[in-house]
Amino acid sequence: QAQLVESGGGSVQAGGSLTLSCEAPGYMYRGCMAWFRQVPGKEREQREGVAAIAAGTRTTYADSVKGRFTISKDNDKNTLYLQMNSLKPEDTAMYYCASDSCPMDPLWAPGYIYWGQGTQVNVSS
């Protein structure tokens, strides 16, 4: 069972920033790594794709986070990051990192097999 471990979640006021981290085995960085988020009432398959990064540096972002969130990875540390700036209350969710061979749509949750346990982000107004 692949191990992905997220950290960095917490509570912040609107306009603030958080940086999420995801530690994963090194071989996973040969495929796609992505961040998703899930709010109560949504199923796993309905997790919203936030950002993805391929084995090179190609990145994909959801329209809702473009210009505010930045995905990056440190291959030496086997760590994936999500820098979140200008946070909004609607960004409140459980955030998950995921890994798999790159699906056609890198922000499509069913395209990923390996998932972490999630880290909660709460943004208050």
Side-chain angles (χ1 to χ4, degrees), residues 7-124:
S7 62
S11 297
V12 64
Q13 289 190 324
S17 299
L18 283 173
T19 300
L20 306 184
S21 300
C22 173
E23 295 183 18
Y27 68 87
M28 290 191 172
Y29 294 87
R30 295 196 290 267
C32 271
M33 302 287 292
W35 287 99
F36 289 82
R37 61 190 181 187
Q38 184 176 1
V39 296
K42 296 290 188 181
E43 299 295 327
R44 171 172 166 160
E45 293 75 16
Q46 298 172 304
R47 289 174 180 172
E48 177 190 7
V50 174
I53 187 166
T57 58
R58 186 177 76 246
T59 57
T60 306
Y61 292 94
D63 288 343
S64 59
V65 306
K66 282 181 181 176
R68 300 189 298 123
F69 291 10
T70 302
I71 189 171
S72 63
K73 58 184 177 177
D74 186 329
N75 291 333
D76 291 336
K77 296 182 179 179
N78 292 340
T79 302
L80 177 74
Y81 301 99
L82 184 67
Q83 174 67 44
M84 306 186 294
N85 298 326
S86 302
L87 282 162
K88 304 175 181 179
E90 51 263 44
D91 294 319
T92 294
M94 184 72 81
Y95 283 71
Y96 297 88
C97 66
S99 172
D100 209 330
S101 303
C102 293
M104 287 292 289
D105 178 359
L107 298 182
W108 185 56
Y112 290 83
I113 294 177
Y114 304 110
W115 293 85
Q117 294 302 306
T119 185
Q120 180 68 38
V121 172
N122 295 312
V123 184
S124 59

